[in-house]
Amino acid sequence: MAIEILHVDHIAMAVPDGERQSAILEGLFGFRRRERYAYPGQGFAGLSFDVPGRSGVGWEVLAPQGDDSFLRGFLAGPRGPGLHHVAFRVDDVERAVAELRRAGIEPFGTESAEEHGGRAVTFVHPSRGGQGLLFQLYTGPDWNDAERMRAERWDPGHPTLGITEVHHLSHAGPDLEQLLGWYERLFGLETIFRGPREPGRAYDTAVLDLPSGEMRWEVIAPRGEGSFIGRFLGTRGPGPHHVTFLVEDWERALDACAHHSVRPFGIEEGTVDGARYCEAFLHPRDTGGLLAQFVWEERPGTWL
């Protein structure tokens, strides 16, 4: 049986300086900082953020504390700074551990609710079964209140991208079919699109629905020589590639980028069934290590 994802609690990134990253996320992205916490004995400090819009998916920023912090190795490696892990609530961590082992994956860091402050947790290591991405699976109270985030609206008081939802996280690997099948079998994700939409692109893609319905997942793989995905894999290895956000107004998003002295790239426009869409990317050097895509669509569901 697949491990059922009940809630995508948060997407986390690791950076050298949490306060600097907070300024980027609050400024350009319009996130709202909620809480700061520190675990010096475990070698890290964290910041949690509310993400605007209807997704109910939170955001976390981790920064090292102490010279021997486990985050130092991540930040010095090919994947850092950048996306670090995703946290999924599942129905039962013990069952999830059993399913992982049946799939030939040995989880780590498993703790009961009594050992972990009311939440049972386990982890899937990026290089020992996680396909290059660290997964945190938990049972118990959420860290982020999804319903509150969906219900509340806040005005940052300055130009932001105008995010309306976290659309998807994109995961890159060398073999699309292998990675796609892994998500379908292990987590029960359903493939809803195979692409790319435009012919002649140097990559293959598939988009999957999560059972929780809060956001989608994408897997991408290189096609042919010279693919940008191939270059990414050669530099950083398999793992998270980018996060895509939908925005309310295209011109507002572009104006916010100009206000924050950020230059989008890869700008494209198109139509699907007579409805327009526009998309662009923000380079990791402008976002603290995150490759971000933002998309505007004239009609809901136009882009995908």
Side-chain angles (χ1 to χ4, degrees), residues 107-122:
F108 75 103
T110 304
E111 292 184 330
S112 67
E114 291 75 19
E115 295 170 313
H116 197 75
R119 297 181 185 91
V121 298
T122 195

Side-chain angles (χ1 to χ4, degrees), residues 47-131:
L47 291 161
S48 60
F49 296 85
D50 292 337
V51 178
R54 51 185 169 262
S55 298
V57 177
W59 201 268
E60 182 179 41
V61 170
L62 303 176
Q65 279 200 326
D67 293 337
D68 58 349
S69 170
F70 68 96
L71 287 173
R72 299 284 182 195
F74 175 86
L75 293 172
R79 297 190 181 100
L83 293 172
H84 184 262
H85 71 267
V86 293
F88 294 152
R89 174 160 51 88
V90 299
D91 63 344
D92 186 284
V93 161
E94 288 187 6
R95 190 177 77 79
V97 167
E99 293 299 329
L100 289 167
R101 288 174 174 159
R102 268 192 280 272
I105 300 168
E106 184 59 37
F108 75 103
T110 304
E111 292 184 330
S112 67
E114 291 75 19
E115 295 170 313
H116 197 75
R119 297 181 185 91
V121 298
T122 195
F123 294 85
V124 180
H125 196 280
S127 59
R128 298 195 298 270
Q131 309 289 323

Side-chain angles (χ1 to χ4, degrees), residues 20-21 23-30 158-161 250-267 280-294:
R20 182 177 182 276
Q21 188 61 32
I24 295 170
L25 295 176
E26 292 179 286
L28 177 59
F29 288 81
H158 57 263
T160 72
L161 291 174
W250 179 247
E251 294 302 326
R252 169 186 169 181
L254 293 180
D255 288 346
C257 290
H259 176 83
H260 293 279
S261 301
V262 172
R263 180 176 294 181
F265 70 98
I267 296 175
F281 286 88
L282 302 176
H283 198 280
R285 64 172 169 264
D286 294 318
T287 65
L290 169 70
L291 176 60
Q293 182 184 34
F294 61 95

